[in-house]
Amino acid sequence: MTASILVVDDAREMQEILYHSLASEGFQVVTAGNGEDAVGRLEAQEFDVIVTDLVLPGCDGLEVLERARLLDPRAVVILMTGYASLGTAITALRRGANDYLEKPFPLDELTLRVRRLLQHRDVVGRERLQQRALNQRPTGHDLIGDSGAMRSVREQIARSALTRSNVLITGESGVGKELVARAVHEASARHDRAFLAVNCGAIPEALLESQLFGHVRGAFTTAVQANPGLFVAADGGTLFLDEIGELPFPLQVKLLRIIEERLVWPVGGTRAVPVDVRIIASTNRDLVAEVAAGRFRTDLFYRLNVLHVKVPPLRERRGDIPLLVDHLVGRLNVRLGTSFLAVEREALSRLINHPWPGNVRELENVLERAMVLGSGDLIAVQDLSADLPGPTHPRDLRGAVRWFERQHLEDVLAETADKRQAARVLGISLASLYRKLSPGAGPGK
């Protein structure tokens, strides 16, 4: 994207010289002749760079600098002056100026400094966002875990947070897709703006249209007052569209139009409302199959699937279960007023070996039931639901060895999240790993 520059100087000739010089380098340039005019332009438009004279009629360059810092701390500010003074330079830098030029100066020197400062700003910004994404503490239990699968999710979150592009999160029900969406938002440049969520499958189509896009007063019988809608409410922030695969086809068309035009048309309205919203969508459906079946628009799928985060099911990261259990027990103790310290070894083994079709949501439900019914300091195996059968590995030695081998293979694969790396860790060839994981290589085979 082309950088925008505001040039502020009370000398018309200087304005024109800087305008043509910077515009010829590909920048978008706007000029102002005094401090008040500059502040007005700053309030009306965002600029990447402000190049301002220090001595101006009305408010001076330092006041323009302070206003620019309040409106957009990321903007690059370069002060110019024909009244050279080390004291003035130090004052400007202390107040947040990025650089200081003494008139007269070569035009190519200004261009060089602008490019360097923009490059430095972008590098520092990316590093800060990435560090925040990598260091961010989980906002919920589903992001807890040290397995290779969860490390991969965190890396995808960090990469997604560095951009403004739309994100599609996929995974089974109960894996924590909304928590991933919140983590992307919190680690992004939009973290201080709204994060709003809506379940596209939980609201009737007529109500969902009004919920998303808003409506004007009198648009329908019950519209006694106007409603701006979630897109307008999330302006500048993030809108999380949960279960996007449930979105009715007519609304898919309207959503696509908003993504392409960045304009929202309220129900019953005659004027579009401009919005700046990042969309994060999620689904437990196979959207590729939905597109092939004609139930989901191809163009909308590609607009949403710019960045993709796949959240693994709990059965593929069994090594994370002890950490999750510890976290959930502590959180449930607060909610239930209980004082359980941990889970007995046999009970933990039962939890680790359960397939968890409902993922972390099911695990939390099972632990809550056990803590309500149990007593003492430890959750015992008898406190667990009868739906969690004990291990059923073969009793004969050969079958047991193969059963434990298969469990170990799956644990290593879940830890590495990569078959080639898993084969290296196990000390076997990739072909052997595929053979051992094949359906015919199950317990007792």
Side-chain angles (χ1 to χ4, degrees):
M1 184 180 294
T2 303
S4 57
I5 301 178
L6 173 63
V7 172
V8 189
D9 199 295
D10 58 338
R12 184 65 182 176
E13 183 181 1
M14 189 64 175
Q15 286 184 42
E16 293 179 355
I17 290 173
L18 295 181
Y19 175 89
H20 291 293
S21 175
L22 293 168
S24 67
E25 295 292 330
F27 297 110
Q28 294 179 353
V29 186
V30 174
T31 62
N34 57 63
E36 287 82 0
D37 189 15
V39 170
R41 293 185 182 277
L42 288 172
E43 291 175 344
Q45 178 184 345
E46 290 185 1
F47 291 94
D48 296 294
V49 182
I50 298 99
V51 180
T52 178
D53 196 10
L54 183 61
V55 179
L56 294 168
C59 63
D60 62 15
L62 290 178
E63 292 178 80
V64 173
L65 164 66
E66 290 178 357
R67 190 61 182 168
R69 282 284 164 263
L70 287 173
L71 292 170
D72 185 2
R74 294 185 70 246
V76 171
V77 181
I78 301 174
L79 284 171
M80 309 176 293
T81 182
Y83 302 84
S85 166
L86 180 59
T88 306
I90 293 175
T91 299
L93 294 173
R94 283 177 175 172
R95 293 191 185 182
N98 299 93
D99 210 341
Y100 185 91
L101 282 171
E102 180 183 347
K103 293 181 180 179
F105 51 82
L107 293 177
D108 57 354
E109 178 66 18
L110 174 60
T111 303
L112 178 63
R113 295 199 191 190
V114 166
R115 293 194 185 282
R116 283 179 176 172
L117 289 169
L118 284 174
Q119 184 179 25
H120 176 72
R121 182 198 68 172
D122 292 342
V123 169
V124 170
R126 285 195 298 270
E127 288 176 350
R128 286 177 178 171
L129 288 175
Q130 188 166 28
Q131 196 63 37
R132 186 198 324 213
L134 291 172
N135 293 340
Q136 182 185 5
R137 296 183 64 82
T139 55
H141 54 267
D142 294 288
L143 296 184
I144 288 177
D146 294 325
S147 65
M150 284 308 297
R151 287 197 299 269
S152 176
V153 168
R154 289 198 184 92
E155 290 171 0
Q156 293 174 65
I157 290 172
R159 287 195 295 269
S160 299
L162 297 177
T163 76
R164 302 172 63 180
S165 301
N166 295 332
V167 182
L168 179 64
I169 304 171
T170 59
E172 298 175 2
S173 294
V175 295
K177 296 187 288 293
E178 181 170 347
L179 290 167
V180 171
R182 288 184 181 275
V184 171
H185 171 77
E186 289 299 325
S188 75
R190 296 173 180 258
H191 64 93
D192 57 347
R193 305 302 290 272
F195 175 92
L196 301 179
V198 60
N199 189 320
C200 298
I203 304 174
E205 180 177 345
L207 294 179
L208 181 60
E209 181 177 12
S210 172
Q211 184 89 351
L212 288 173
F213 313 133
H215 64 257
V216 299
R217 182 179 178 182
F220 42 86
T221 306
T222 58
V224 294
Q225 59 184 13
N227 172 26
L230 290 175
F231 268 94
V232 173
D235 189 34
T238 302
L239 181 59
F240 175 54
L241 301 178
D242 194 14
E243 300 306 338
I244 190 68
E246 306 287 341
L247 190 68
F249 206 84
L251 297 190
Q252 293 179 27
V253 178
K254 295 187 176 184
L255 176 58
L256 177 65
R257 183 177 181 183
I258 290 174
I259 294 174
E260 292 178 339
E261 299 179 355
R262 295 185 176 274
L263 295 172
V264 174
W265 292 84
V267 177
T270 57
R271 296 178 61 185
V273 181
V275 291
D276 171 24
V277 175
R278 185 189 198 177
I279 295 175
I280 302 180
S282 78
T283 182
N284 59 13
R285 292 189 178 190
D286 182 350
L287 282 192
V288 174
E290 294 294 300
V291 168
R295 292 187 292 267
F296 200 86
R297 291 183 62 97
T298 306
D299 42 11
L300 179 58
F301 171 72
Y302 287 117
R303 287 290 191 178
L304 295 173
N305 193 35
V306 179
L307 298 171
H308 181 204
V309 179
K310 183 177 181 181
V311 187
L314 188 53
R315 63 182 174 275
E316 292 183 5
R317 54 185 190 102
R318 297 180 190 274
D320 292 334
I321 290 178
L323 291 174
L324 278 164
V325 168
D326 285 344
H327 174 78
L328 288 170
V329 168
R331 197 175 74 166
L332 288 168
N333 273 329
V334 175
R335 185 199 303 172
L336 302 174
T338 52
S339 55
F340 287 91
L341 299 178
V343 178
E344 287 184 350
R345 179 175 297 182
E346 185 180 352
L348 183 59
S349 177
R350 188 80 59 89
L351 295 172
I352 290 173
N353 286 288
H354 185 66
W356 299 113
N359 293 293
V360 183
R361 188 180 296 142
E362 181 188 2
L363 172 61
E364 182 173 12
N365 181 266
V366 166
L367 287 173
E368 182 173 359
R369 186 186 305 119
M371 292 169 70
V372 169
L373 300 176
S375 60
D377 295 332
L378 301 177
I379 298 174
V381 68
Q382 60 266 24
D383 299 327
L384 298 178
S385 168
D387 297 330
L388 298 179
T392 57
H393 55 78
R395 304 305 297 170
D396 65 288
L397 182 59
R398 179 175 297 180
V401 169
R402 288 180 175 173
W403 187 88
F404 282 111
E405 179 187 70
R406 178 65 177 245
Q407 289 294 114
H408 183 61
L409 291 174
E410 291 179 351
D411 288 345
V412 172
L413 185 58
E415 173 68 24
T416 59
D418 180 81
K419 288 187 173 65
R420 291 184 182 275
Q421 186 178 350
R424 288 195 294 270
V425 171
L426 293 163
I428 60 177
S429 67
L430 185 61
S432 295
L433 178 61
Y434 275 108
R435 185 174 64 253
K436 290 177 180 293
L437 290 173
S438 65
K445 298 295 183 181

